Amino acid sequence: MNFAVLFGGNSYEHEISIVSAIVLKKVFRGEMSFIFCDRDRNFYLISQDKMNAKTFSSLSYKREKMLFLRQGGFFEKGFFKEKKLEIDVCINLIHGRDGEDGKIASLMEFFGLRYIGPRLEASVLSYNKELTKLYAKKVGVKTLPYYVLRKKDKEYKEPKYPCILKALRLGSSIGLAVAKNKEEFEYARDLAFEFDDEILVEDFIQGVKEYNLAACKIKDEMIFSIIEEPKKNELLDFEQKYLSFSSSTGAKEAKISDELKNKLKEACVRIYDPVFKGALIRCDFFVIDNEVYLNEINPNPGSLANYLFDDFSIILQRLGNSVKNEKHIDINYSFLHSINGQKSKL
């Protein structure tokens, strides 16, 4: 099976997506092509030997073959005819806007490409942190209390301290901060508003236990990764999250009880099935007084959370074989034919 990894996009997480793709190239055992979506949303076919940071930081990717999408796949222009890129399954590895907000999912469905990644509904629910909380409540998974600040509001509700502020539609810990007093709150608020017009505010719970669990569903079987307890300082910041996974050293399984493992897996299944079918996701949980709370859903986790799986390449192959696009509707114009047979004309 030949995979094509889509990465980049017009997003604050553009560079993180590049790192994810480079890591995936190193760890995956199998056929894999790389399609880069630059900041102007042009597509380029990047050869494996060019999959390094310099190719993108120097803009030399622009010398690579440009691709375009049309019905049935990605194509490159030739002197006499267009050449279709041979792809069995695409992998949506664009983080944040474009990749996780539903644009790529819509393109894949519209142009008929099979793909691993969140479908449109799943993208919408996981991209907006408030919608994520509402979805979790609907499926019976607890979340922390919150309220939303909006940039257009003239007055802002002041929280109890300490609190944590998160841009509503942004991941990768960008624009995230803990405020312990009014001065820090105002600074963190203004910083987050640089990235989004809405901010999610939650109480910051000191010393809370955090656990990450990745999963996908292949046919009728849920596949789980190990459960990781990420190392963090006061909070898991940008550098801790992304410089750590780029090292590809793997993760250690958390030492927790079977009871807690089962609770985390049950919450993950409630989140995943059936909305996220077709994707490999990572759920980040809090555990407070032995109760599980959803922190966030990562529908396109960094480097596909490969470091949490012992047999990642096999799982990806199996998932690729199982993904399906939405049902094609047969349109035969029978209604219009019936109208043509009548005396009245439209």
Side-chain angles (χ1 to χ4, degrees):
M1 174 174 291
N2 188 10
F3 289 100
V5 179
L6 305 180
F7 65 106
N10 184 260
S11 163
Y12 288 116
E13 299 166 72
H14 176 94
E15 293 173 81
I16 298 162
S17 178
I18 292 172
V19 174
S20 277
I22 293 170
V23 171
L24 206 58
K25 184 202 78 167
K26 294 178 180 178
V27 301
F28 180 71
R29 300 186 302 275
E31 294 293 322
M32 190 167 274
S33 303
F34 294 88
I35 299 175
F36 177 55
C37 178
D38 75 355
R39 59 192 176 192
D40 298 317
R41 293 174 172 149
N42 297 312
F43 293 107
Y44 295 87
L45 179 62
I46 310 297
S47 59
Q48 292 225 8
D49 63 309
K50 300 288 180 63
M51 282 296 296
N52 56 67
K54 187 176 180 181
T55 294
F56 306 100
S57 62
S58 67
L59 306 185
S60 63
Y61 70 84
K62 291 189 174 184
R63 295 196 290 267
E64 303 303 306
K65 294 177 181 177
M66 185 176 281
L67 302 174
F68 63 95
L69 256 176
R70 69 170 218 198
Q71 197 61 39
F74 283 92
F75 292 78
E76 59 179 277
K77 291 183 178 179
F79 286 109
F80 302 106
K81 63 178 182 178
E82 300 162 351
K83 181 183 177 182
K84 182 180 177 182
L85 190 64
E86 293 303 319
I87 299 170
D88 297 308
V89 177
C90 293
I91 299 173
N92 179 3
L93 202 60
I94 297 177
H95 304 318
R97 192 171 76 172
D98 286 356
E100 293 177 327
D101 62 0
K103 293 189 187 76
I104 288 296
S106 298
L107 284 174
M108 295 294 101
E109 294 287 0
F110 191 86
F111 288 110
L113 281 77
R114 293 173 62 229
Y115 66 105
I116 291 173
R119 274 49 190 166
L120 181 58
E121 182 181 11
S123 299
V124 170
L125 290 172
S126 56
Y127 185 62
N128 181 305
K129 292 179 173 61
E130 185 173 23
L131 294 182
T132 298
K133 285 182 176 286
L134 296 174
Y135 170 66
K137 181 179 180 180
K138 179 180 182 295
V139 298
V141 178
K142 294 181 179 181
T143 64
L144 296 180
Y146 73 99
Y147 70 92
V148 175
L149 293 177
R150 293 176 171 82
K151 197 172 186 178
K152 65 180 182 180
D153 294 341
K154 295 181 179 179
E155 296 183 0
Y156 299 118
K157 176 182 175 182
E158 189 174 351
K160 64 179 183 178
Y161 301 108
C163 66
I164 187 166
L165 293 83
K166 308 173 182 177
L168 200 67
R169 301 171 189 84
L170 199 66
S172 306
S173 299
I174 300 172
L176 178 148
V178 173
K180 298 175 183 175
N181 52 54
K182 184 176 181 179
E183 183 180 0
E184 290 182 357
F185 173 76
E186 291 177 348
Y187 176 81
R189 180 196 65 201
D190 293 343
L191 173 65
F193 276 145
E194 291 293 320
F195 298 101
D196 201 336
D197 290 338
E198 295 180 297
I199 303 169
L200 189 100
V201 183
E202 296 174 327
D203 291 345
F204 179 71
I205 303 172
Q206 189 71 39
V208 66
K209 290 287 187 179
E210 294 188 35
Y211 299 100
N212 298 338
L213 174 60
C216 62
K217 190 169 187 178
I218 300 173
K219 295 183 179 178
D220 294 323
E221 180 187 4
M222 280 297 300
I223 306 294
F224 296 103
S225 72
I226 65 167
I227 297 171
E228 175 198 29
E229 182 177 2
K231 294 180 180 179
K232 59 189 178 73
N233 296 323
E234 186 175 55
L235 73 160
L236 194 61
D237 61 18
F238 176 88
E239 289 192 1
Q240 284 177 290
K241 286 179 73 170
Y242 292 98
L243 293 184
S244 61
F245 87 61
S246 67
S247 65
S248 302
T249 55
K252 292 182 179 180
E253 187 161 11
K255 295 180 180 179
I256 56 177
S257 67
D258 289 340
E259 178 190 11
L260 183 52
K261 285 181 183 178
N262 290 334
K263 282 185 177 182
L264 290 165
K265 288 181 179 180
E266 180 184 350
C268 187
V269 171
R270 287 176 179 268
I271 293 294
Y272 186 95
D273 199 23
V275 174
F276 285 89
K277 196 168 184 180
L280 191 159
I281 72 171
R282 194 189 75 225
C283 290
D284 298 352
F285 295 107
F286 295 138
V287 174
I288 304 168
D289 296 330
N290 208 36
E291 290 294 326
V292 172
Y293 295 78
L294 178 69
N295 178 24
E296 63 180 11
I297 305 167
N298 292 275
N300 295 343
S303 68
L304 278 191
N306 71 87
Y307 49 91
L308 296 178
F309 294 94
D310 291 330
D311 49 358
F312 172 74
S313 293
I314 295 171
I315 289 170
L316 198 62
Q317 293 276 6
R318 289 181 60 200
L319 181 59
N321 280 317
S322 71
V323 292
K324 296 179 181 178
N325 287 36
E326 62 186 8
K327 183 180 178 181
H328 187 75
I329 298 172
D330 183 29
I331 299 173
N332 57 23
Y333 298 106
S334 58
F335 175 64
L336 294 182
H337 285 310
S338 68
I339 293 175
N340 288 335
Q342 298 176 11
K343 292 182 180 179
S344 61
K345 294 183 179 180
L346 290 180

